Amino acid sequence: MIDEQHRRLFALAGRLTLDASANDKDEAGGEAVLADLLDYTHSHFRDEEEFMRLIQYPGLRVHQQAHASIFAGVDQLLARMRTVDRQIMRREIGYFISEWLVRHVLHDDLQYTRYIRDQVMP
């Protein structure tokens, strides 16, 4: 389930980045993709944290802090959106999300995957 959610997150982040790069004038479409991505990310983080509770993952608190840090960064970018060109901000947000998504999945999530391999299902 978590892997499927990761695939969906990558697809949404890719759509956001492509929309911003295409310089389309359909800001409502780009804003809708961004809203979908942020909503889905919230639900994914909630599911992921619940899963970590179930397997009694000892790094849950640190992982929760990483999730909070990601959303703090997004919140800062969204606040800037009020004062900077929306197209530029969509591009920045798309880049930020793509970067944290890759880094988070390949680094942070890999740690609990190893925990499952070594401790839960040895």
Side-chain angles (χ1 to χ4, degrees):
M1 175 182 85
I2 299 295
D3 284 343
E4 181 59 36
Q5 289 178 353
H6 286 153
R7 284 189 282 280
R8 165 92 195 224
L9 285 169
F10 277 107
L12 286 168
R15 276 184 52 207
L16 180 65
T17 303
L18 287 174
D19 285 353
S21 297
N23 275 332
D24 63 301
K25 299 297 180 192
D26 180 16
E27 289 196 17
E31 299 300 321
V33 173
L34 178 58
D36 287 349
L37 178 58
L38 294 177
D39 286 345
Y40 196 75
T41 301
H42 275 289
S43 69
H44 166 67
F45 284 175
R46 191 173 44 249
D47 290 348
E48 192 174 66
E49 290 172 9
E50 181 58 30
F51 176 70
M52 288 181 202
R53 274 188 211 73
L54 288 172
I55 64 169
Q56 299 177 348
Y57 178 58
L60 173 60
R61 183 170 304 272
V62 171
H63 208 90
Q64 287 172 315
Q65 291 169 344
H67 288 168
S69 176
I70 289 166
F71 273 108
V74 170
D75 287 344
Q76 289 174 352
L77 288 171
L78 291 174
R80 282 190 51 217
M81 191 178 263
R82 294 185 202 106
T83 61
V84 178
D85 178 81
R86 293 174 88 68
Q87 189 68 23
I88 292 170
M89 284 310 301
R90 278 187 25 222
R91 207 171 298 131
E92 281 187 40
I93 291 168
Y95 177 77
F96 175 82
I97 290 171
S98 296
E99 284 298 307
W100 73 250
L101 186 56
V102 168
R103 199 172 326 112
H104 184 70
V105 170
L106 294 180
H107 180 266
D108 298 336
D109 289 355
L110 193 58
Q111 291 179 10
Y112 78 79
T113 302
R114 287 181 183 137
Y115 173 78
I116 293 168
R117 182 192 67 212
D118 297 342
Q119 302 297 320
V120 178
M121 305 173 86

